Amino acid sequence: MAPLRISSGSIELQVTDGPLALRLFRGGHGLVGPLVPWACSGAVHDRFVQLTEGVIAEEDLEPCGVPEATSIEAIDDGRVAIEGRFEHGWPLRLEVSLRLGRVTFELDCGPDPLRAGLAWPAAGGERFSGLG
Protein backbone atom coordinates (compact mmCIF):
# COMPACT_ATOMS: atom_id res chain seq x y z
CA MET A 1 0.00 0.00 0.00
CA ALA A 2 1.21 3.51 -0.78
CA PRO A 3 1.91 5.69 2.27
CA LEU A 4 -1.10 7.59 3.64
CA ARG A 5 -0.42 11.31 4.02
CA ILE A 6 -2.38 13.90 5.98
CA SER A 7 -1.41 17.48 6.66
CA SER A 8 -2.40 20.59 8.57
CA GLY A 9 -0.61 23.81 7.72
CA SER A 10 3.09 23.05 7.37
CA ILE A 11 2.92 19.75 9.32
CA GLU A 12 2.57 16.47 7.42
CA LEU A 13 2.15 12.93 8.74
CA GLN A 14 3.11 9.93 6.59
CA VAL A 15 1.91 6.45 7.63
CA THR A 16 3.20 3.23 6.06
CA ASP A 17 2.36 -0.38 6.80
CA GLY A 18 4.45 -3.53 6.51
CA PRO A 19 6.08 -2.70 8.93
CA LEU A 20 3.94 0.00 10.53
CA ALA A 21 5.78 3.33 10.78
CA LEU A 22 4.83 7.00 11.12
CA ARG A 23 6.95 9.96 10.02
CA LEU A 24 6.39 13.66 10.78
CA PHE A 25 7.51 16.50 8.53
CA ARG A 26 7.35 20.30 8.87
CA GLY A 27 7.78 22.38 5.76
CA GLY A 28 9.03 19.31 3.89
CA HIS A 29 11.81 18.59 6.40
CA GLY A 30 11.77 15.45 8.56
CA LEU A 31 11.02 16.10 12.25
CA VAL A 32 10.84 12.60 13.72
CA GLY A 33 10.45 9.08 12.51
CA PRO A 34 9.99 6.35 11.93
CA LEU A 35 7.71 6.28 14.99
CA VAL A 36 6.63 2.75 15.93
CA PRO A 37 4.04 1.83 18.61
CA TRP A 38 5.20 -0.64 21.27
CA ALA A 39 3.66 -2.41 24.26
CA CYS A 40 5.04 -4.82 26.85
CA SER A 41 3.89 -6.71 29.90
CA GLY A 42 5.74 -7.14 33.14
CA ALA A 43 5.60 -6.76 36.89
CA VAL A 44 6.11 -3.79 39.20
CA HIS A 45 8.13 -4.26 42.40
CA ASP A 46 8.21 -0.68 43.72
CA ARG A 47 9.36 -0.28 47.33
CA PHE A 48 8.00 2.38 49.66
CA VAL A 49 10.57 4.12 51.88
CA GLN A 50 8.65 5.27 54.97
CA LEU A 51 11.34 7.62 56.31
CA THR A 52 11.34 9.79 53.18
CA GLU A 53 7.87 8.82 51.94
CA GLY A 54 9.53 8.06 48.62
CA VAL A 55 9.41 5.12 46.26
CA ILE A 56 12.24 3.11 44.76
CA ALA A 57 10.93 2.06 41.37
CA GLU A 58 11.67 -1.40 40.02
CA GLU A 59 10.10 -3.20 37.06
CA ASP A 60 10.64 -6.47 35.24
CA LEU A 61 9.53 -5.94 31.63
CA GLU A 62 8.95 -8.60 28.99
CA PRO A 63 10.13 -7.99 25.40
CA CYS A 64 8.03 -5.41 23.56
CA GLY A 65 5.38 -6.58 21.12
CA VAL A 66 5.61 -5.85 17.40
CA PRO A 67 2.51 -4.13 15.94
CA GLU A 68 0.70 -5.20 12.80
CA ALA A 69 -1.70 -2.68 11.28
CA THR A 70 -4.92 -4.11 9.88
CA SER A 71 -6.44 -0.79 8.83
CA ILE A 72 -5.12 2.71 8.26
CA GLU A 73 -7.84 5.26 7.64
CA ALA A 74 -7.92 9.03 7.23
CA ILE A 75 -10.81 10.19 9.44
CA ASP A 76 -10.78 13.76 8.09
CA ASP A 77 -8.23 16.31 6.83
CA GLY A 78 -6.26 16.34 10.06
CA ARG A 79 -6.74 12.90 11.67
CA VAL A 80 -5.78 9.33 10.96
CA ALA A 81 -6.80 6.13 12.79
CA ILE A 82 -4.67 2.98 12.80
CA GLU A 83 -6.04 -0.31 14.08
CA GLY A 84 -4.38 -3.67 14.42
CA ARG A 85 -2.86 -6.09 16.92
CA PHE A 86 0.42 -6.66 18.66
CA GLU A 87 2.08 -10.05 18.32
CA HIS A 88 1.03 -10.73 21.95
CA GLY A 89 -2.60 -10.47 20.81
CA TRP A 90 -3.27 -7.07 22.39
CA PRO A 91 -5.41 -4.68 20.37
CA LEU A 92 -3.80 -1.62 18.82
CA ARG A 93 -5.65 1.62 18.19
CA LEU A 94 -3.62 4.72 17.45
CA GLU A 95 -5.25 7.99 16.51
CA VAL A 96 -3.05 10.86 15.34
CA SER A 97 -4.42 14.38 15.09
CA LEU A 98 -2.82 17.42 13.44
CA ARG A 99 -4.45 20.64 14.63
CA LEU A 100 -3.25 24.23 14.97
CA GLY A 101 0.44 23.34 14.70
CA ARG A 102 0.18 20.50 17.26
CA VAL A 103 0.41 16.76 16.84
CA THR A 104 -1.53 14.56 19.29
CA PHE A 105 -1.11 10.80 19.63
CA GLU A 106 -3.74 8.66 21.40
CA LEU A 107 -2.59 5.06 21.85
CA ASP A 108 -4.88 2.34 23.24
CA CYS A 109 -3.60 -1.21 23.72
CA GLY A 110 -6.32 -2.48 26.03
CA PRO A 111 -5.88 -3.23 29.74
CA ASP A 112 -3.18 -5.95 29.53
CA PRO A 113 0.15 -4.26 28.74
CA LEU A 114 2.03 -2.74 31.68
CA ARG A 115 3.68 -0.09 29.48
CA ALA A 116 2.97 1.27 25.99
CA GLY A 117 4.32 4.09 23.89
CA LEU A 118 5.93 5.23 20.67
CA ALA A 119 9.61 4.70 19.88
CA TRP A 120 11.87 6.27 17.26
CA PRO A 121 15.59 6.25 16.51
CA ALA A 122 17.45 9.25 17.91
CA ALA A 123 18.83 11.68 15.37
CA GLY A 124 22.45 12.73 15.59
CA GLY A 125 22.87 15.10 18.55
CA GLU A 126 19.32 14.49 19.80
CA ARG A 127 18.96 14.39 23.60
CA PHE A 128 15.99 13.66 25.86
CA SER A 129 15.51 14.14 29.54
CA GLY A 130 12.62 14.54 31.89
CA LEU A 131 9.54 12.54 32.81
CA GLY A 132 9.68 13.49 36.43
Side-chain angles (χ1 to χ4, degrees):
M1 171 177 136
L4 173 70
R5 289 180 162 85
I6 62 168
S7 62
S8 176
S10 64
I11 299 177
E12 179 182 317
L13 172 71
Q14 175 184 315
V15 182
T16 57
D17 65 351
L20 176 62
L22 297 88
R23 290 175 172 78
L24 282 171
F25 301 88
R26 176 177 281 149
H29 300 283
L31 286 177
V32 65
L35 290 148
V36 178
W38 60 268
C40 60
S41 62
V44 176
H45 308 287
D46 293 350
R47 291 176 284 158
F48 176 67
V49 180
Q50 186 174 4
L51 180 65
T52 62
E53 295 185 1
V55 174
I56 299 172
E58 184 180 336
E59 295 179 340
D60 292 323
L61 298 177
E62 301 292 325
C64 292
V66 177
E68 294 180 12
T70 54
S71 77
I72 301 172
E73 174 186 358
I75 298 172
D76 57 38
D77 289 345
R79 290 189 310 158
V80 64
I82 301 163
E83 293 192 9
R85 297 198 90 59
F86 284 93
E87 63 184 353
H88 299 305
W90 303 320
L92 163 67
R93 176 159 175 82
L94 175 61
E95 189 170 309
V96 185
S97 175
L98 309 178
R99 297 273 189 256
L100 304 171
R102 291 181 180 225
V103 181
T104 305
F105 298 92
E106 292 184 39
L107 176 62
D108 183 1
C109 303
D112 292 330
L114 179 65
R115 299 279 180 252
L118 296 170
W120 64 93
E126 185 175 271
R127 303 289 184 268
F128 180 80
S129 65
L131 297 182

